[in-house]
Amino acid sequence: PKSVLIVNKLRTKPVVDAIDTLLRYIHEKYPEVQVYHEDRPDIPDKAQVWHPGPNAKPIDLVITLGGDGTILHASSLFKTGAVPPVLSFSMGTLGFLLPFHIDDYTKAIDSAFAGRITVLHRMRLSCSFRDSGGERIDTQAEDWQVMNEIALHRGSSPHLNTIDVFVDGQHLTEAVSDGLIVSTPTGSTAYSLSAGGPIVHPSLSAIVLTPICPRSLSFRPLVFPSSSSITLRISERSRASAGLSMDGQVSHVLSPGEAVTVRASMYPIPCINRSSISEPKEMREGVGPGKEDDWVRDINNLLQYNATFRSKALTRHLR
């Protein structure tokens, strides 16, 4: 790579020290590489200012330091086009999108710069809005590429939303609920999971529809192919407008009659896998570098997947 973009969470002292160490290593070992940072008051020394948008300077590699939210923010910087490969470092935070700890920065950076890595293309979503007459609504969120989920919710209203759901133009159901979540496989372990949605492997191309506290007990989550187009229209009978959030950022309010259509984005986000640069001794028996699934490790370590009371007790005892 000839250019690197640094994206970090709030610059606490550990983050400042980590960025300084990382930049010093890059400048010393790869002096020809241009290092960029967002235009923020806490821009680090020796980093050039980078502005997102159609005229942005090309970036070959994105390095994030923080938590899962930092990666979501990095994704939002590339709302209208392709995303460069993302190398994510954890600053002590556990997360599904954080394959590397900051202590492993030298091995990870050297492998990425040498091209000895594999990536997982995590699907994103895009959306468009239409008014009650079917005309397109121009909003700032029109071109957003969403990594986790798009959520329609009742917000501060005490009333349930009434939402008509269409799949590829065909009416699926009328949802009376606190809201609906349309998520990617990556987002299936976020808000959607808390609402009772399924866990979907991030390598799959699929769209997950999950209701939020539906009035009907038979309204279960659904998984659609990525070729599907999901339209959520606020019913004229709805007693409340619906707030719309993308990856946790409130972006728009839909009134009765207005709709949002969600599709798979043409631009996934390529995330570098930890297993692709692991040493042979770090791998499980029979699994070579690049073959071990980071996701399998994460649902066991982070979600304690299928951990019974007995197995948890044994784990504590063994410790």
Side-chain angles (χ1 to χ4, degrees):
K2 297 180 179 179
S3 57
V4 172
L5 174 66
I6 305 293
V7 179
N8 59 275
K9 66 178 184 179
L10 184 65
R11 278 170 61 89
T12 58
K13 188 178 187 306
V15 176
V16 171
D17 293 343
I19 292 177
D20 290 344
T21 302
L22 189 146
L23 288 182
R24 183 164 54 250
Y25 181 78
I26 292 177
H27 285 308
E28 290 177 357
K29 190 161 185 179
Y30 306 99
E32 72 283 359
V33 174
Q34 297 293 321
V35 178
Y36 296 94
H37 192 276
E38 294 178 80
D39 189 7
R40 289 178 8 185
D42 60 352
I43 184 171
D45 295 334
K46 299 182 180 180
Q48 302 180 46
V49 175
W50 184 83
H51 298 280
N55 299 319
K57 295 179 180 178
I59 299 296
D60 298 324
L61 177 68
V62 177
I63 298 177
T64 70
L65 298 94
D68 282 357
T70 308
I71 303 177
L72 296 179
H73 176 64
S75 173
S76 71
L77 297 176
F78 300 88
K79 296 176 182 177
T80 59
V83 187
V86 178
L87 181 61
S88 305
F89 289 104
S90 165
M91 294 299 299
T93 306
L94 293 177
F96 274 89
L97 306 177
L98 302 170
F100 301 98
H101 192 274
I102 189 59
D103 294 342
D104 299 326
Y105 75 93
T106 55
K107 183 168 63 175
I109 289 176
D110 288 345
S111 296
F113 275 64
R116 297 192 306 269
I117 48 95
T118 61
V119 298
L120 172 63
H121 288 88
R122 292 180 179 269
M123 175 182 161
R124 296 199 294 175
L125 300 173
S126 62
C127 65
S128 59
F129 302 90
R130 296 192 181 276
D131 60 22
S132 56
E135 297 297 324
R136 185 181 291 270
I137 301 174
D138 291 326
T139 68
Q140 292 183 345
E142 174 67 31
D143 293 322
W144 274 26
Q145 310 292 311
V146 181
M147 188 174 179
N148 267 1
E149 76 278 309
I150 294 168
L152 270 181
H153 52 83
R154 64 187 177 98
S156 60
S157 171
H159 304 294
L160 297 178
N161 284 132
T162 303
I163 304 171
D164 287 308
V165 182
F166 299 83
V167 179
D168 295 329
Q170 183 177 3
H171 187 261
L172 174 67
T173 188
E174 180 185 73
V176 182
S177 63
D178 279 355
L180 294 172
I181 302 168
V182 182
S183 78
T184 62
T186 295
S188 70
T189 52
Y191 191 6
S192 175
L193 181 62
S194 298
I199 300 176
V200 183
H201 195 285
S203 67
L204 297 178
S205 295
I207 300 176
V208 181
L209 176 68
T210 307
I212 306 171
C213 299
R215 190 174 65 181
S216 170
L217 293 178
S218 62
F219 191 179
R220 312 314 303 160
L222 295 172
V223 180
F224 298 96
S226 60
S227 58
S228 297
S229 171
I230 312 295
T231 298
L232 309 178
R233 186 177 69 194
I234 311 303
S235 173
E236 298 286 359
R237 298 194 307 277
S238 184
R239 300 176 64 186
S241 298
L244 184 141
S245 61
M246 303 184 189
D247 285 346
Q249 300 183 45
V250 177
S251 62
H252 195 58
V253 175
L254 295 182
S255 301
E258 296 181 336
V260 55
T261 298
V262 184
R263 298 181 176 85
S265 169
M266 295 175 57
Y267 306 106
I269 179 166
C271 296
I272 296 175
N273 293 323
R274 176 179 176 81
S275 58
S276 66
I277 67 168
S278 297
E279 298 293 340
K281 63 181 180 181
E282 300 177 23
M283 310 303 296
R284 293 185 296 106
E285 183 178 355
V287 180
K291 299 300 183 182
E292 187 177 61
D293 196 331
D294 295 342
W295 179 83
V296 171
R297 181 195 63 221
D298 288 342
I299 65 168
N300 280 286
N301 293 344
L302 302 181
L303 290 184
Q304 296 295 305
Y305 178 69
N306 198 33
T308 64
F309 291 109
R310 182 173 181 272
S311 64
K312 289 182 179 179
L314 286 174
T315 301
R316 288 195 296 270
H317 175 72
L318 291 174
R319 289 177 179 173

